[in-house]
Amino acid sequence: MPELPEVETVRRGLEPVLAGAIITKLDCRRPDLRFPLPERFATRIEGHRIVTLGRRAKYLVAELDTGEALVMHLGMSGRFSIQHFEDQTADPASSNGQVAKAAFTHVNATDPTHDHVVFTTQSGNTVTYNDPRRFGYMVLVEESERETHKLFSGLGPEPLGNGFSAHHLAKRAHGRRVDLKAFLLDQRNVAGLGNIYVCEALHRSGLSPLRRAFSLSTKNLSPTKRAERLAASIKTVLTEAIAAGGSTLRDYAHADGSLGYFQHAFAVYGREGEPCRTKDCTGTIRRVVQSGRSTFYCPKCQR
DNA sequence: AAAAGCCCCTGGACGC
DNA sequence: TGCGTCCAGGGGCTTT
């Protein structure tokens, strides 16, 4: 269920284990996720180093020293967990106490039935990808061709990057009759938003998800006040969510080891029938279906 | 070209 | 307890 903040949280959690690490073993327990796994997947990775672990939109990008990048998408239900390797001193009471024992702190609470891909690093840590619904996928892309790759070439700007602004929204929205909800879910317009954060950003900016996208833009393509509010809300809601994920991340090793889910106080998402939290608003959160997905909004303060 | 619909897959929540 | 139905935070592909 990961959107940009969750993927970024996962990235930050995996980075200490994977960035700079040599992958000694790649265990693929089934030939496919959403798509077939890459040909000779294990041999293209085993023995090689992950140089950096980055993110673009909802993709994790592990740049390898081979010149390829491992691009991973978590789909709806993908999770990573880390099993830390620990050296333990030999226990003199045990029958074979002369052999230093090694153990994993196994903190993966997910169903091992759906552990599809397991990475082992040279230092002995393992990183497990678990995905019950298998909407996630992994591909290997030549790093030099990544930006032109089909998965990346059409993506809009990172909402927390320099390329994103009210002006950008206005340009993209000009003349578009789609509703704002669908416009913001479209990764070509802005990359990384999903159903939850679209709902949240629209609520913060006081804009109805049913409003048409062209109302973000004036005749001469400049942004309206609405576009200014929307761009600002998108940035703040994502920034806050990442911060909340980071605070959860500190606990992961003590909790269930899974990365990518965290509790976040949503203003509208999942709150159908509950009172709006906007200051001085007496509205009630409503759920409607747009593009086949639930939209939560306050009809009173979102116009 | 833009917009809408269908579909991939499994599991959990809920009603009977 | 068991079974059926609905729903899920993504997004590629097809149809209109």
Side-chain angles (χ1 to χ4, degrees):
Chain A
M1 319 176 173
E3 304 182 31
L4 186 153
E6 289 78 16
V7 178
E8 179 59 24
T9 299
V10 170
R11 190 198 69 74
R12 292 179 185 188
L14 294 179
E15 188 171 43
V17 176
L18 290 184
I22 292 173
I23 304 301
T24 51
K25 186 166 169 44
L26 178 65
D27 185 9
C28 305
R29 302 190 174 165
R30 54 173 303 131
D32 62 314
L33 294 171
R34 175 167 184 172
F35 306 117
L37 287 163
E39 306 220 350
R40 304 183 301 109
F41 191 29
T43 56
R44 286 160 77 179
I45 290 182
E46 284 176 351
H48 297 292
R49 186 185 300 275
I50 294 177
V51 182
T52 61
L53 184 65
R55 178 191 59 75
R56 172 75 172 106
K58 299 171 189 171
Y59 296 101
L60 287 170
V61 181
E63 186 190 359
L64 301 165
D65 64 6
T66 59
E68 290 194 299
L70 171 60
V71 176
M72 299 172 279
H73 196 291
L74 304 179
M76 297 270 274
S77 58
R79 289 172 175 241
F80 281 96
S81 62
I82 299 168
Q83 296 79 41
H84 284 285
F85 179 82
E86 288 180 355
D87 274 324
Q88 295 189 344
T89 51
D91 176 7
S94 77
S95 55
N96 58 347
Q98 75 281 8
V99 180
K101 218 165 93 182
F104 289 108
T105 51
H106 191 82
V107 288
N108 179 6
T110 59
D111 181 354
T113 305
H114 304 294
D115 287 351
H116 302 311
V117 180
V118 181
F119 302 81
T120 304
T121 70
Q122 194 163 53
S123 46
N125 297 318
T126 67
V127 170
T128 302
Y129 179 69
N130 178 286
D131 188 357
R133 290 177 72 181
R134 300 205 315 278
F135 278 18
Y137 49 94
M138 297 187 186
V139 294
L140 282 164
V141 181
E142 274 297 324
E143 180 61 27
S144 61
E145 296 167 11
R146 174 154 58 94
E147 286 304 317
T148 56
H149 189 275
K150 185 173 61 171
L151 292 177
F152 291 84
S153 61
L155 286 178
E158 284 291 314
L160 298 178
N162 292 332
F164 179 70
S165 63
H167 188 251
H168 168 80
L169 283 179
K171 272 196 305 182
R172 292 290 307 184
H174 189 76
R176 300 284 307 278
R177 297 174 60 79
V178 277
D179 50 56
L180 273 182
K181 174 77 183 307
F183 175 78
L184 293 173
L185 281 177
D186 188 335
Q187 302 296 297
R188 295 171 295 185
N189 296 324
V190 55
L193 296 177
N195 206 32
I196 292 178
Y197 293 104
V198 165
C199 291
E200 295 296 316
L202 286 169
H203 180 255
R204 283 190 184 218
S205 47
L207 295 175
S208 168
L210 307 170
R211 171 182 284 281
R212 302 228 200 232
F214 60 61
S215 67
L216 298 179
S217 177
T218 64
K219 282 202 177 83
N220 60 8
L221 296 184
S222 60
T224 60
K225 291 285 185 199
R226 296 185 189 99
E228 304 279 2
R229 293 208 309 270
L230 182 55
S233 297
I234 288 170
K235 290 179 191 182
T236 56
V237 76
L238 294 178
T239 301
E240 288 175 23
I242 289 170
S247 63
T248 301
L249 198 55
R250 283 197 294 275
D251 300 331
Y252 78 87
H254 308 292
D256 67 353
S258 65
L259 298 172
Y261 292 153
F262 51 87
Q263 298 300 315
H264 189 66
F266 300 125
V268 285
Y269 191 82
R271 297 192 63 242
E272 182 181 16
E274 296 179 39
C276 180
R277 287 178 177 158
T278 300
K279 189 174 182 336
D280 297 330
C281 181
T282 57
T284 300
I285 305 306
R286 177 183 295 174
R287 185 181 82 95
V288 296
V289 174
Q290 289 177 284
S291 315
R293 290 197 166 82
S294 291
T295 297
F296 297 88
Y297 77 110
C298 173
K300 189 148 186 173
C301 69
Q302 291 180 254
R303 297 296 176 132

